[in-house]
Amino acid sequence: MTTRLDTSFAALSDATRRGVLEELGRADASITDLAQRFHMTLTGIKKHVGVLEQAGLVTTRKIGRVGTCQLGPRRLEEEEAWLERYRQRWDERF
């Protein structure tokens, strides 16, 4: 579980990756569209998407020459439970 938490939190630690998740929460998008929205090169956005894919937060599929991204199957339930445990501890202490 620790490795999974580390991967998730590392993926979420970057503002661009959080922005990509927000965009994909509205609608699927191509790699090219994401690169344009975030004013990045294709290589740069692919690296961000790759980190999100490793965490299970994004999936991509290639149709012809177009790579399309969508939200992945992970719902961050373990991460939410971890945060809730620490929120409760902080509330008890303070």
Side-chain angles (χ1 to χ4, degrees):
M1 181 170 149
T2 302
T3 302
R4 192 171 192 167
L5 286 174
D6 291 346
T7 302
S8 297
F9 286 127
L12 296 170
S13 70
D14 184 86
T16 298
R17 291 191 286 269
R18 290 191 306 273
V20 167
L21 290 175
E22 295 237 353
E23 288 291 322
L24 296 178
R26 290 189 265 284
D28 297 354
S30 71
I31 296 284
T32 302
D33 289 341
L34 291 172
Q36 290 173 347
R37 288 181 196 158
F38 290 94
H39 309 288
M40 299 183 79
T41 64
L42 288 174
T43 302
I45 201 69
K46 282 180 185 179
K47 286 181 181 180
H48 284 295
V49 168
V51 171
L52 292 167
E53 275 188 298
Q54 281 186 317
L57 301 173
V58 168
T59 60
T60 58
R61 67 181 187 280
K62 196 163 188 175
I63 300 172
R65 297 179 69 186
V66 178
T68 301
C69 302
Q70 62 187 30
L71 289 179
R74 293 272 324 280
R75 298 180 51 94
L76 299 174
E77 289 148 341
E78 291 174 28
E79 294 78 1
E80 184 179 9
W82 184 88
L83 288 168
E84 181 58 24
R85 280 193 309 274
Y86 279 90
R87 188 195 62 76
Q88 288 174 0
R89 288 179 189 163
W90 289 324
D91 286 350
E92 291 168 4
R93 288 188 107 183
F94 302 107

